[in-house]
């Protein structure tokens, strides 16, 4: 009897020992059945991890897209307001300063400054109001490379879907909230030239404003008390400072007037508050310095931000690609490098030719169309694109 009880206890212990393994196998089997059931019900040949993540992120993308759509007009108004304020300060402070210094130099600066201002204004307006281009509806696209999952319509080469505008954009580069518009085939040049001329304008203002800022902010201008004086006061050794004994008659102060006392006799009161003329002068000096510092900080920030962005886009243009294509080409280069192959961008015709195509300097157009406002359209219709690889192969075959 004791032997039977011992055997049952051993069997029970063995079952308890094997229970986690059986439970884990059961969970794995149920998970496998669940995945198999889901695949059988929801199977789609085009579903992958990227598509699944895109579906899961759709609510967040919706919030960002609609927030950007609402914020766009506000940002455009901000750009116009800030630019106008800087231009007004240049007229009010910079123009009189250089006119007193040299009228001849000022005339040259007026021409140069207005050339930059006209180009900035023209290219910003054109980049904001020009439609970047969309694939036409109801006609056959001969070189359609894929179907847009959002529009359910064929896409031509270099075309991508903008979730903010909710449409496909020809040769899409990105959606710019500062323009409240997409940057694509028909307004890409306007966008880039706006950045170039805006950066050039900040250099123009910072170069000519440095002398004014140095005299007014650092030296203090006519009123004195500039940053140099404040710095000298701060770094001065307090131990070496000695207070001088005040000499004179005792006085009485009632808050607004100071009255000298001569042997118990009160003299004529002296007004402690500054005169209206001095108050107005101090107020004008305050706003004068504030405007100079405001312009300096704003132009410096714009110079580094837009200058860096223009430099980056210039590199992309030199390689014949957009910002979206830069990411695609990078992934393709890495993918083909793993199998010992070299990726070739089909739209890269060399640096000089890429710039000519981008700026539209073909069919007799020259530098005049870049230095001055021009509404000439880009090369091509944005639906079909010449292929650098095919062109090179044809050239080699003919040779």
């Amino acid at each position: 009897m004791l032997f039977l009880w011992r055997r049952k206890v051993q069997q029970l212990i063995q079952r308890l020992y094997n229970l986690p393994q059986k439970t884990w196998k059961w969970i794995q089997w149920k998970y496998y059945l669940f995945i198999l059931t889901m695949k059988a019900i929801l199977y789609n040949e085009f579903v992958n991890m990227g598509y699944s993540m895109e579906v899961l992120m759709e609510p967040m993308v919706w919030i960002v897209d609609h927030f950007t759509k609402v914020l766009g007009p506000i940002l455009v108004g901000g750009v116009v307001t800030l630019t106008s304020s800087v231009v007004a300060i240049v007229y009010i402070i910079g123009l009189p300063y250089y006119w007193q210094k040299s009228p001849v130099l000022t005339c040259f600066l007026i021409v140069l400054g207005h050339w930059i201002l006209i180009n900035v204004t023209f290219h910003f307006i054109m980049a904001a109001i020009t439609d970047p281009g969309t694939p036409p509806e109801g006609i056959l696209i001969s070189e359609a490379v894929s179907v847009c999952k959002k529009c359910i319509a064929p896409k031509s080469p270099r075309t991508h879907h903008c979730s903010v505008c909710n449409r496909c954009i020809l040769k899409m580069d990105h959606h710019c909230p500062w323009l409240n518009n997409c940057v694509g085939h028909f307004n890409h040049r306007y966008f880039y030239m706006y950045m170039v001329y805006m950066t050039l304008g900040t250099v123009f203002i910072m170069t000519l404003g440095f002398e004014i800022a140095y005299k007014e902010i650092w030296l203090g201008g006519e009123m004195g008390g500039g940053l140099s004086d404040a710095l000298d006061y701060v770094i001065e050794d307090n131990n070496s400072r000695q207070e001088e004994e005040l000499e004179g008659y005792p006085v009485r102060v009632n808050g607004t007037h100071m009255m000298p006392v001569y042997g118990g006799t009160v003299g004529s009161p002296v007004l402690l508050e500054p005169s209206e003329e001095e108050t107005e002068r101090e107020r004008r000096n305050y706003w004068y310095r504030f405007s100079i510092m405001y312009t300096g900080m704003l132009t410096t920030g714009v110079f580094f931000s837009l200058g860096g962005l223009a430099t980056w886009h210039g590199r992309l243009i030199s390689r014949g690609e957009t910002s979206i294509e830069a990411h695609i080409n990078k992934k393709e280069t890495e993918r083909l490098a793993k199998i010992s192959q070299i990726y070739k961008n089909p739209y890269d015709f060399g640096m000089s030719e890429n710039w000519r195509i981008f700026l539209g300097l073909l069919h007799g157009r020259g530098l005049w169309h870049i230095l001055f406002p021009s509404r000439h359209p880009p090369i091509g219709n944005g639906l079909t694109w010449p292929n650098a690889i095919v062109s090179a192969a044809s050239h080699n075959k003919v040779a």
Side-chain angles (χ1 to χ4, degrees):
M1 181 67 68
L2 182 62
F3 174 76
L4 293 175
W5 276 103
R6 183 181 300 176
R7 185 179 180 84
K8 290 182 179 180
V9 170
Q10 289 178 349
Q11 291 177 352
L12 180 61
I13 294 174
Q14 186 66 28
R15 290 178 180 177
L16 292 175
Y17 178 77
N18 295 331
L19 181 62
Q21 295 181 356
K22 292 182 178 180
T23 303
W24 177 245
K25 290 181 179 180
W26 181 83
I27 293 174
Q28 286 181 325
W29 170 247
K30 290 298 182 181
Y31 175 75
Y32 171 77
L33 289 179
F34 173 77
I35 296 299
L36 183 61
T37 303
M38 290 296 102
K39 286 184 176 181
I41 298 175
L42 306 174
Y43 175 75
N44 190 327
E45 185 178 355
F46 300 101
V47 172
N48 51 30
M49 183 58 67
Y51 183 83
S52 302
M53 293 302 298
E54 183 178 349
V55 172
L56 294 176
M57 295 293 290
E58 189 67 27
M60 185 179 297
V61 173
W62 184 90
I63 294 174
V64 173
D65 291 344
H66 285 72
F67 181 74
T68 304
K69 186 179 297 184
V70 173
L71 195 62
I74 300 176
L75 294 179
V76 172
V79 171
V80 174
T81 302
L82 294 176
T83 305
S84 301
S85 65
V86 171
V87 173
I89 292 172
V90 171
Y91 275 114
I92 296 172
I93 296 178
L95 188 59
Y97 176 86
Y98 277 96
W99 183 262
Q100 293 179 357
K101 185 176 181 180
S102 173
V104 177
L105 175 63
T106 305
C107 291
F108 169 75
L109 295 178
I110 290 175
V111 174
L112 179 60
H114 282 83
W115 169 68
I116 298 175
L117 178 60
I118 291 173
N119 274 291
V120 168
T121 305
F122 171 79
H123 288 101
F124 178 79
I125 293 175
M126 293 303 297
I129 68 174
T130 301
D131 191 291
T134 57
E137 299 180 359
I139 66 172
L140 179 64
I141 299 178
S142 58
E143 293 191 10
V145 293
S146 63
V147 175
C148 178
K149 295 182 292 185
K150 302 294 181 64
C151 299
I152 315 299
K155 291 197 304 183
S156 56
R158 314 186 80 175
T159 298
H160 300 277
H161 186 87
C162 175
S163 55
V164 178
C165 299
N166 195 27
R167 57 176 181 164
C168 286
I169 303 298
L170 300 177
K171 192 197 164 190
M172 180 179 176
D173 188 89
H174 69 287
H175 183 91
C176 181
W178 301 98
L179 297 174
N180 194 30
N181 194 10
C182 268
V183 176
H185 177 59
F186 291 102
N187 66 344
H188 196 176
R189 178 179 65 88
Y190 296 132
F191 166 75
Y192 182 75
M193 296 307 297
Y194 163 72
M195 292 193 298
V196 171
Y197 280 111
M198 179 62 84
T199 304
L200 186 60
T202 59
V203 173
F204 175 80
I205 295 175
M206 289 190 297
T207 302
L208 298 176
F210 178 80
E211 181 179 338
I212 302 176
Y214 176 76
K215 289 183 177 180
E216 292 294 331
I217 306 300
W218 183 254
L219 299 181
E222 297 179 357
M223 296 291 293
L227 290 179
S228 60
D229 298 332
L231 186 61
D232 292 340
Y233 179 81
V234 171
I235 64 177
E236 184 179 354
D237 188 6
N238 294 327
N239 296 328
S240 64
R241 235 183 281 142
Q242 298 180 356
E243 296 184 0
E244 298 181 358
E245 296 183 1
L246 299 177
E247 297 180 359
Y249 295 97
V251 296
R252 291 180 181 178
V253 180
N254 66 356
T256 59
H257 291 76
M258 179 179 67
M259 295 165 288
V261 180
Y262 307 98
T265 304
V266 179
S268 301
V270 179
L271 186 64
L272 293 177
E273 297 181 356
S275 63
E276 293 184 1
E277 182 180 350
E278 292 180 351
T279 303
E280 180 64 20
R281 184 180 177 185
E282 290 180 357
R283 187 183 66 84
R284 287 199 308 266
N285 185 67
Y286 166 79
W287 285 109
Y288 195 82
R289 294 183 180 182
F290 173 80
S291 300
I292 294 174
M293 294 181 65
Y294 164 80
T295 303
M297 290 187 292
L298 184 59
T299 52
T300 302
V302 172
F303 169 75
F304 283 106
S305 58
L306 271 187
L309 189 62
T311 302
W312 182 63
H313 275 272
R315 293 178 58 188
L316 297 180
I317 296 169
S318 300
R319 298 197 296 259
E321 58 187 10
T322 63
S323 57
I324 295 178
E325 292 170 351
H327 297 289
I328 298 175
N329 294 343
K330 181 180 179 181
K331 291 182 178 180
E332 285 298 304
T333 302
E334 295 174 352
R335 183 183 67 85
L336 293 178
K338 295 179 181 180
I339 56 177
S340 302
Q341 294 186 6
I342 300 176
Y343 175 75
K344 171 65 177 177
N345 179 15
Y347 310 114
D348 184 5
F349 290 88
M351 180 181 296
S352 60
E353 188 65 18
N354 289 338
W355 277 101
R356 290 182 60 197
I357 294 174
F358 174 79
L359 297 174
L361 300 183
L362 300 175
H363 310 299
R365 303 190 189 113
L367 195 60
W368 181 271
H369 294 79
I370 303 302
L371 296 179
F372 297 94
S374 175
R375 296 184 59 184
H376 66 272
I379 305 300
N381 57 7
L383 296 174
T384 59
W385 297 90
N387 192 304
I389 301 176
V390 175
S391 300
S394 301
H395 178 73
N396 295 334
K397 186 176 180 180
V398 172

